[in-house]
Amino acid sequence: MNKLLLCLAGGLLLASTAPAGEKKLMHCFYFTTVDGAAQADWDAFYKATDEIPKKIKGVSHVWYGKLQRPLNVGDATRQYGVCMEMDNAEARRSYGSDPYHKVWDAAYSKVRVAGTTTLDFLGQ
């Protein structure tokens, strides 16, 4: 029985690492939240962010949440982050000019202080 459980655990581990070496681009940014932002503004941000993969070509998945450890950048403390999986660098270049980006940015601007820390990772 222990060997069977060990084999199953190994199979799950291998299955979870299968996408390693993905050739996509990961666009991540971290931001400082607005003190006292209304729950309705956060809800609008979550909804608009969830819609990005459906609305912006080349974005396949989005993650967001509070950072486990805040990131201090100069005088700013970034408490929250968003990561977007994109098809490639061209999708990254064009997503900012997509019409839905303006809709999303209107919701985003209500929960964040201007300025972000941005990182883009190219898959190898």
Side-chain angles (χ1 to χ4, degrees), residues 11-70:
L12 287 172
L13 180 61
L14 289 173
S16 68
T17 60
E22 189 70 47
K23 303 292 187 212
K24 294 186 175 189
L25 180 140
M26 185 65 72
H27 170 60
C28 298
F29 51 96
Y30 313 103
F31 61 96
T32 302
T33 58
V34 171
D35 286 335
Q39 186 60 49
D41 291 335
W42 279 104
D43 292 343
F45 165 74
Y46 299 142
K47 182 178 180 191
T49 304
D50 287 341
E51 290 294 311
I52 288 174
K54 298 174 198 164
K55 304 279 187 177
I56 300 180
K57 184 179 179 187
V59 179
S60 52
H61 198 81
V62 177
W63 296 263
Y64 52 81
K66 191 171 184 177
L67 299 179
Q68 183 175 352
R69 238 180 286 148

